[in-house]
Amino acid sequence: MTVEESVRTLALGRAARELELRRDEFRLAVQLGLVRTVPGAVAGEPGRPAGARGAPRRVDRGEVDRLRAAPDFPAGLRDRVRTVGTAEGAAILSVTPDRFGRLARTGHFSPVRFRLNRYRAVVWLYPAGELAEFAPAHGALLRGRLPHGLRERLDAGEDLRPRNWRSRRLGLLLRAAADPWERAAAIASLLDPLLLADAVSDPRERAHLDTLRPEPPPGRPESVAGREIVDRLVLAAEPDEILWYGMSLSLALDEARGARAVQPAPAPARRPSPSGGRRSPRRAASRRPEGRTAARREVPERG
């Protein structure tokens, strides 16, 4: 990075301090698009190893000046990155917590993050600003009996909160990706390893995607049981969701391969047969390990 670039842009930590935001508040501001970031370095710079991750993203000095010039700074910016759970969210919408949960499960507003409580139940958190904007535009959903279609979906057990959170997380990862391979890796991180092996047959490509795999969500629990819950929430769960991300990965890989190919895996060595002839290498069959069930362990959720 040149001296001029370092003066024109700020490291993320410095930008957070100048915007008077805590680290988690700043991260959410970026995720919600309230603070725009720029690549820290141009892909393909001289001296950068091929396939290396991009440099940490930065914030343009003009972006910080723009936000600081707002008449309600810093309170207004802090309020826009405030997150609330079910109880506070219901109060913002002037509805009961039960009705708030029903509207969240049917996807009328999406969580932006989650945490596990001491019972390892998932507590979803929502941007307070988005809820405040939702209320005046959807008054009919906040009063009286819910529409019949919504009640049917709830009776069938619909809960869109996990997949909506995954969708928001993927959007952030794609915006931060420095090149097509990082974008493909972001999508691949949503697929179970066995499904990914089916979608990406080349082991070298899979290894490359694994190298570029995004970091896990912030606040990953220390306990094994807690990490298992978070790891399951990160992965696409519903058949249509899995199909969508599989198709998206295929398109992303086509773009990435066109931009820069990964060296294909070497063919397996041939071994002489007992009769002195040659035999063809066996093709590895794609199988699920015995005893693995398709059903996922149920994740307790709240909020």
Side-chain angles (χ1 to χ4, degrees), residues 181-200:
W181 279 107
E182 286 193 10
R183 288 193 288 275
I187 301 170
S189 70
L190 298 174
L191 295 175
D192 179 277
L194 289 173
L195 296 172
L196 183 59
D198 288 339
V200 187

Side-chain angles (χ1 to χ4, degrees), residues 7-134:
V7 172
R8 192 179 68 243
T9 63
L10 303 176
L12 299 184
R14 171 74 180 277
R17 289 193 296 273
E18 295 211 10
L19 293 174
E20 301 183 31
L21 297 174
R22 298 192 306 269
R23 181 179 300 179
D24 61 329
E25 292 175 330
F26 179 81
R27 187 185 296 117
L28 183 56
V30 172
Q31 184 174 353
L32 296 176
L34 300 174
V35 177
R36 297 186 295 264
T37 63
V38 296
V42 178
E45 275 185 344
R48 291 184 64 204
R53 286 181 180 270
R57 296 181 71 84
R58 296 175 68 85
V59 179
D60 191 274
R61 163 57 70 181
E63 176 75 350
V64 172
D65 293 342
R66 177 184 70 83
L67 292 166
R68 288 180 60 89
D72 61 351
F73 178 83
L77 182 58
R78 284 187 190 142
D79 191 57
R80 288 192 291 276
V81 296
R82 185 169 67 94
T83 58
V84 296
T86 296
E88 288 183 88
I92 291 173
L93 298 183
S94 299
V95 298
T96 65
D98 178 69
R99 193 182 191 96
F100 181 92
R102 287 170 171 259
L103 292 173
R105 287 196 293 276
T106 48
H108 286 85
F109 32 81
S110 302
V112 72
R113 57 178 49 169
F114 66 86
R115 59 179 175 82
L116 302 184
N117 65 16
R118 60 179 177 173
Y119 304 107
R120 293 199 293 273
V122 179
V123 178
W124 296 104
L125 301 173
Y126 308 84
E130 290 185 5
L131 295 178
E133 293 174 0
F134 177 89

Side-chain angles (χ1 to χ4, degrees), residues 44-45 47-53 179 208 211-212 260-261:
E45 275 185 344
R48 291 184 64 204
R53 286 181 180 270
D179 62 35
H208 190 57
T211 299
L212 299 174
R260 175 172 53 80

